[in-house]
Every structure is written in structure tokens, then in C-alpha cells.
Amino acid sequence: MEWDWDGESMKAYETFEHRADIGVRGYGRRVEEAFENGARAMFSVMAEINDVKPQDSEEVSCEAPDMDYLFVEWLNNLLSISHLSGKIFSSFKVEIKDNKLRGKAWGEKIDASRHKLMTEVKAATYSMLKVSKEDDVYVAQCVVDV
Amino acid sequence: MDIKSLNKISDYIWEIPPEGDMRVPGRIFASEGLVEELDDNVVKQIKNVACLPGIQEASIAMPDAHWGYGFPIGGVGAFDPKEDGIISMGGIGFDISCGVRTMRTGMTRKDIQPHLEKLADRLFAVVPAGLGSEGKIRLNQQQIDEVLLKGAQWAVSKGYGIKDDLMYIEEGGVMDGADPSHVSSTAKERQFREVGTLGSGNHYLEIQYVAEIYDEQIAGVLGLYKDDVVVSVHCGSRALGHQIGTDYLKTLAEASRKYNIAIHERELVCAPIDSPEGRRYFSAVCAGINCALANRQVISHLVREAFSDVIPKARISILYDVSHNTCKVEEHLVGKKMKRLFIHRKGATRAFGPGRKEIPEEYRSVGQPVLIGGTMGTCSYILAGTESGMTQAFGSACHGAGRALSRTQAKKKWRGDVLLRDLAAKGIIVRAHSYSGAAEEAPGAYKDVTAVVDATHKAGLAKKVAMVRPMACIKG
């Protein structure tokens, strides 16, 4: 999916190939934005997220020794909250300070009659895990086990 | 990969000589063709596992090995706690005790065929599958602890199945050493409504018929005859297992640093078996195994209900239940010494040879049944463990076909609805909750399961007994 950033069209998130599973990748002008878009990439594996209305919200807070681990923590926290609340999320907001993350996810209850559901994600993994800055753009990515 | 970099031991056994930090050689069981198809990443992972403390004999890869998380999928590693051996997340995976259970129905293909459509619909209706699905059983924290302690025994005690079922499940349906207090409350809570659900991805429930018998004597002992109909279910420990994995990934990452264990890939995070972290993780894994055994037991009960609704004279009995993502304590001969080892099997099936006490008495003389899932359009296999598998690979065999194409490639290549129509034209009924999920699981996205099973047989890891073909398949 593409977003218009300051008049420049740029990819916000995508999935990438992995032999057995699938990779998720988010881009952003700030690292927080890359985390938010990384979460969109993960939920896009589970469902058609453009059909998911951002009407209910859930909060997430987590921490980790570094930004790489924090990205996996963020995604895994979202997975367990999504599962426990029976909701699928499509919109995210993240604040990060000193490797501590406070985030919010918006979405709605899963409704098989309305949502196009795809594959369960078991977990975000350390495989191909990377949070980096390339040419002024932050990238957050890892492989998810499906 | 470049086959010349390997030492050929026999037509089906290849060795990676130790180099760098490798404590033992790598050992790949595969045909020349399968070795040539191997991803270089798999070889790297086999080498990385060979560097872990306490590893015995060899870092082993099965014929279906492919790129995994730390260990290759299709990887086996044995670790001795007395030699600073470790327990690693990468050798078990997120779906703890994912496995296959096969049940006899007492019916033949001819008996079932007229009712097949109705049976598929009924199974699709009663076995919850797919994203967001819930089971009918509702549990609380205390009840879930019972599941984690007693596994399939818990299920039978609640009326899901009969006592005889337990004899045909690894460990008699319950894994010793589970400690529910080492499983987080989040993990437990995620399982409150998940017991008896199939999941999605490559998990399935299939009605199959015996198309070929390769070894009549062993097949007879297993009660399998040509044209018999069986039901197989492939699933694991559901959200509870995934959450144990997620929780302990962090614990083990810290432990790897604390105990100064050099790991060559982040997914190999581990702890010494004899450390508080290692003991905690192992007891959580045992709890996860019990969760999976209970899950497959409840699904078997649902299968019985569906059959009794449609074909009341069907008699469902468990042939066997194997897990292929585990760490188990087993006794194995290393050199001339019998050792108590922690055997990691990630995408590998236990395949004990004849005589082992762990095999149900009825089957003991012929070896442990090994259940290998294929894809929904091809076939699956039933094998039996061998003596040479015991000495060469700690009694282990392959677990499935292994993917040839990524999920993304598969979705580009096949459309779910078209695929299901094509399979229907071949006489295979598929009921799927997600078309795109079905497309990802297209038979063409997998390696040839027959090549994998033939290599397993010829390498002497397990013996081919029977081949089954799908009649109807339920997918998440």
C-alpha cells in the first residue's frame, strides 16, 4: 500500500518472501511510524485490513533491550491482545522512549461474515529481524511464523 | 547447494565435516536430488546447531529439511545435560507439539463414498477452524492447569474419547514434567476458548483411503488394509503453545547472554538444560505438549460425533498420534554408553525402532508408527521406525513434504476458488474457511512428498508401510 508523504508517493508497508512463512516490513519517516506500518503489514497477513474499521482501541506497552527486540515485542503484544479481545487491528500509534514503547491499536471485532480473513499468525520471530534507517527512511521488519 | 562440499557417506547420507566452532559434523539424510535442492541457509543452520554446547554425534537434517528458525525445519539435535547441554527454542518452535493423529474408521472407501459430501460438511461444521474460530469448551485458569498437567488424559476424563485411545498416543497421552506455573497467565488465557480447534496455515483434517500397502505384515499389525478409510488431523498446541514460545524467546535470549553461550543465529537462543531458565522452559514445553495432545483428543471426539451423525456404524479408533515439534528426554546409545539425552525434533517425527518400551505393546515388534502428512491434493504416508534409524538419527524421521514455493508465490500462482474446483474435479472435496489460505497450501507449493518419504525409507530412518490418498479435506 502506498501513502502520500509530503507530495511524494512512498510505500508504507509490505510483506516479503520467505520459503516457509512470510516477512512483514514497515517504512516510516520516524522509527515510530515504521513500527506502526510494520504492524499494518502483519495484520495484512491475517485479513484484508482496508475493510477493518478503526472503531475500538486497545493499548500496548512493552520494553526490550534494543530496537530490534522492541519491534518483535510490539508485534507479539499486538498478536496476544488481538487474540484475547477477538479484534483485528488496522490502525496504530506508537511512542518510543529509551527502548520503552507505548502504543495504541484501533480495529474491530472479527466478523467472518464481513471481514476477509486469511491466515493466523503464530508469532513474530527474530528471523530477518532488522530496524534500521536507510536514506532517511526507517525500516522495521521480521519474519512472522504462520 | 553445491553437493561437492559434502562428504558422501552413502547414496542417502551426507556429512558436513566439522569446521570453525562446530563440535560435531552435520549429517543430512537425503537423495542426491533433494540435497541439490537444499537451500544454502539450511546448511548454515545445520552448522550453527553443530556449534551448540553438549550436542551429541551430529547435527542432523531430515530429507524434508528447509530453512527454519535457528534449527532447520526437519532438524534433530541431541544434547547431554552432563556435558553442559542446552535446550533451545529454535529446536522446538512456536507450535509446540504440532503433530499428526490418524484414526481408523472401520469403513472402506466404498462405504464412505456415497456419504462423503455430507461427512465433509458435517466435519466442517463441528470442527472449529480458521482465524478467529473458537471451540465449544470454555475453561478457566484452574481448569487449564489440569489440561497442561494431564494432556489427553484430561480430555478423556471429561468424556472426550475413551480410555483405550490413550494407549495409542505418544507418552500414553500425558507428558511427565509439565509445570503449569511456568506458563504465563496470558498463554493460559489465550487457550480458554481454543481447546478443540484446528487452526489455519498448513493444519488440516482429512478423510483418506489406503491406496497402497508396501509392507503387509506391519500394516496388518497396525490394522490397515487396502481401501480402508482413515481420518488424519494435523494441528498443534494452538495459541497457548505460540505464547509459550513468545514468552520464552525473551527468557532464553537473556539466558544466552547470562551463561555466555555463543549462538550464531538469534533464533538459537537457549539455556543450559541444568539451569533455572532451562528447567523452567522444559517444564513449559511439556505443558505445551499436553495442551496439543488434549487438543487433538478433543478434535477426535468431534470427528467421532460427526461420523456417528452421518454413518452410525463407523467405529473410530486411534491408530497413532505423533508430535513433530518437541524436546523429549530419551535414552540413546552414544558410542557404547547409554545416555539420557534431550532430543530436539523441529519438524521431525520420532521414529523409534522395534522393541522400545515407549511403543504401544501391540505395535512394539514392528516399530513406532510414523505419520507423514502430504498435501491436500497428493498423498500421505504411514511408516514404521527402524533399528538403523535409532543408531543413525536418535530414532527420527521426516515430518512432511516441506514447502517448495513461498506463500506469496503460491498466492500469485493459484486462486483458492479455482484450486478447490480443480481438486473437486479430481474427486477431492475441500472445505476451507479462507480461499487465500487454501491457495497458499496448493499441492504444487510443496516438494514431492513421495521423494521425501522414499529418501527416508532408503536411508533406513523408517520403513514405508502404506500410502493414503485424500478424499475430503477440511482447512482453516
Side-chain angles (χ1 to χ4, degrees):
Chain A
M1 127 138 219
E2 295 198 345
W3 273 6
D4 189 27
W5 285 347
D6 303 331
E8 263 181 273
S9 173
M10 199 190 127
K11 207 177 267 174
Y13 67 86
E14 64 189 351
T15 58
F16 61 90
E17 304 245 335
H18 178 272
R19 181 68 81 86
D21 292 302
I22 195 162
V24 299
R25 182 182 289 140
Y27 298 96
R29 285 161 304 182
R30 294 173 301 112
V31 72
E32 288 84 355
E33 199 168 32
F35 272 50
E36 291 159 9
N37 285 327
R40 295 162 69 108
M42 181 174 76
F43 281 93
S44 79
V45 172
M46 298 161 71
E48 179 51 74
I49 58 170
N50 293 324
D51 302 341
V52 177
K53 293 184 201 112
Q55 55 191 32
D56 297 336
S57 71
E58 297 282 345
E59 286 181 16
V60 177
S61 61
C62 55
E63 57 183 303
D66 62 34
M67 289 301 266
D68 284 5
Y69 287 121
L70 191 62
F71 182 58
V72 169
E73 268 300 291
W74 156 241
L75 296 183
N76 278 328
N77 270 277
L78 285 171
L79 281 180
S80 81
I81 290 171
S82 156
H83 187 229
L84 286 172
S85 64
K87 287 175 193 159
I88 192 117
F89 303 118
S90 56
S91 179
F92 305 89
K93 191 78 203 151
V94 163
E95 283 170 31
I96 298 172
K97 212 180 154 190
D98 304 329
N99 294 335
K100 287 192 179 74
L101 180 152
R102 284 181 56 203
K104 219 166 166 179
W106 286 266
E108 59 177 324
K109 282 263 183 203
I110 293 175
D111 179 351
S113 68
R114 232 160 21 83
H115 296 131
K116 191 186 167 211
L117 301 174
M118 294 183 265
T119 307
E120 260 180 3
V121 172
K122 291 174 189 160
T125 77
Y126 293 164
S127 189
M128 299 182 76
L129 167 61
K130 192 174 72 173
V131 176
S132 61
K133 194 180 178 188
E134 290 160 22
D135 301 329
D136 285 342
V137 176
Y138 284 90
V139 183
Q141 68 167 50
C142 72
V143 171
V144 296
D145 191 350
V146 299
Chain B
M1 71 148 302
D2 181 15
I3 202 159
K4 288 192 220 78
S5 63
L6 303 176
N7 288 342
K8 183 172 177 175
I9 307 294
S10 74
D11 284 350
Y12 292 90
I13 306 174
W14 310 78
E15 202 167 84
I16 308 171
E19 57 172 52
D21 297 339
M22 285 170 72
R23 297 165 194 259
V24 291
R27 190 181 293 158
I28 302 169
F29 292 91
S31 62
E32 200 169 318
L34 288 169
V35 170
E36 274 165 354
E37 279 174 32
L38 267 189
D39 191 330
D40 286 336
N41 287 310
V42 175
V43 176
K44 212 165 131 196
Q45 290 189 321
I46 296 169
K47 288 181 185 174
N48 290 344
V49 171
C51 301
L52 294 171
I55 187 161
Q56 305 290 303
E57 303 252 315
S59 164
I60 297 168
M62 293 291 131
D64 52 339
H66 55 279
W67 187 23
Y69 301 103
F71 277 58
I73 296 167
V76 177
F79 295 85
D80 187 347
K82 289 188 181 147
E83 294 173 26
D84 301 325
I86 52 87
I87 178 165
S88 171
M89 168 85 200
I92 301 164
F94 286 97
D95 197 358
I96 298 167
S97 197
C98 182
V100 180
R101 171 180 292 209
T102 295
M103 297 162 258
R104 289 173 291 247
T105 63
M107 298 274 118
T108 65
R109 196 180 171 193
K110 225 169 83 192
D111 300 329
I112 297 282
Q113 196 63 49
H115 308 282
L116 191 59
E117 195 98 20
K118 203 171 164 198
L119 206 47
D121 287 336
R122 194 77 205 116
L123 285 167
F124 190 61
V126 301
V127 180
L131 186 79
S133 64
E134 290 180 353
K136 287 200 181 65
I137 302 172
R138 295 282 184 272
L139 300 174
N140 59 31
Q141 289 276 354
Q142 198 191 335
Q143 291 163 325
I144 207 93
D145 283 358
E146 274 182 61
V147 176
L148 301 188
L149 279 172
K150 296 194 181 139
Q153 267 184 20
W154 166 85
V156 169
S157 77
K158 298 292 171 198
Y160 303 106
I162 52 172
K163 221 169 166 199
D164 275 0
D165 293 349
L166 299 172
M167 283 197 288
Y168 304 101
I169 304 172
E170 283 182 330
E171 330 299 337
V174 57
M175 186 79 183
D176 286 338
D179 186 342
S181 72
H182 294 155
V183 176
S184 72
S185 55
T186 307
K188 292 176 189 174
E189 209 178 315
R190 288 186 67 181
Q191 196 64 17
F192 284 174
R193 295 156 181 240
E194 288 265 290
V195 176
T197 61
L198 195 61
S200 68
N202 61 1
H203 294 162
Y204 61 76
L205 191 155
E206 215 166 65
I207 303 175
Q208 306 157 327
Y209 70 94
V210 178
E212 297 274 355
I213 299 269
Y214 305 104
D215 189 313
E216 275 185 28
Q217 191 252 331
I218 301 180
V221 172
L222 303 183
L224 278 179
Y225 301 93
K226 200 155 183 232
D227 283 329
D228 275 2
V229 169
V230 297
V231 176
S232 292
V233 53
H234 175 220
C235 66
S237 48
R238 310 291 302 116
L240 182 128
H242 312 162
Q243 188 67 42
I244 291 175
T246 302
D247 293 337
Y248 278 92
L249 198 58
K250 285 185 291 179
T251 310
L252 296 176
E254 281 160 29
S256 309
R257 284 192 290 271
K258 178 176 159 190
Y259 297 103
N260 241 330
I261 305 169
I263 50 172
H264 294 259
E265 190 180 336
R266 268 195 286 213
E267 294 281 333
L268 284 175
V269 291
C270 56
I273 294 163
D274 261 335
S275 68
E277 294 87 348
R279 281 190 290 271
R280 269 208 315 273
Y281 178 50
F282 181 68
S283 70
V285 167
C286 292
I289 293 175
N290 282 332
C291 176
L293 297 180
N295 196 43
R296 289 197 286 272
Q297 182 62 31
V298 171
I299 291 176
S300 304
H301 174 75
L302 300 174
V303 168
R304 276 194 175 114
E305 283 193 334
F307 268 78
S308 80
D309 287 350
V310 180
I311 311 170
K313 63 176 186 202
R315 290 285 170 269
I316 307 282
S317 59
I318 315 296
L319 191 150
Y320 206 55
D321 180 301
V322 295
S323 298
H324 47 230
N325 283 350
T326 57
C327 177
K328 290 184 174 178
V329 184
E330 297 168 5
E331 286 187 343
H332 288 275
L333 208 55
V334 178
K336 283 183 181 154
K337 209 172 154 195
M338 192 57 95
K339 287 186 166 188
R340 185 178 159 269
L341 303 175
F342 283 65
I343 313 291
H344 293 64
R345 293 188 184 90
K346 172 72 194 96
T349 312
R350 192 168 81 179
F352 279 168
R356 284 286 294 221
K357 64 178 190 309
E358 292 90 341
I359 305 173
E361 223 177 311
E362 231 177 295
Y363 303 155
R364 203 168 288 159
S365 65
V366 298
Q368 183 198 312
V370 179
L371 310 172
I372 306 304
T375 70
M376 54 189 168
T378 54
C379 57
S380 298
Y381 286 90
I382 297 168
L383 294 85
T386 59
E387 193 44 52
S388 69
M390 296 305 296
T391 52
Q392 298 186 99
F394 299 101
S396 311
C398 63
H399 88 304
R403 290 194 78 90
L405 296 182
S406 74
R407 292 174 183 279
T408 322
Q409 286 168 325
K411 268 203 282 203
K412 274 183 203 148
K413 202 160 171 184
W414 291 283
R415 262 185 52 187
D417 52 345
V418 178
L419 178 75
L420 265 44
R421 254 199 331 263
D422 291 350
L423 288 169
K426 283 166 71 182
I428 302 164
I429 300 174
V430 181
R431 295 283 182 268
H433 289 273
S434 161
Y435 279 145
S436 78
E440 290 178 9
E441 295 298 318
Y446 281 85
K447 284 190 220 164
D448 177 12
V449 67
T450 302
V452 166
V453 166
D454 282 345
T456 302
H457 176 84
K458 288 178 178 154
L461 296 174
K463 220 170 161 179
K464 271 163 69 172
V465 176
M467 184 251 276
V468 298
R469 286 197 187 278
M471 298 172 75
C473 182
I474 311 298
K475 298 284 299 177

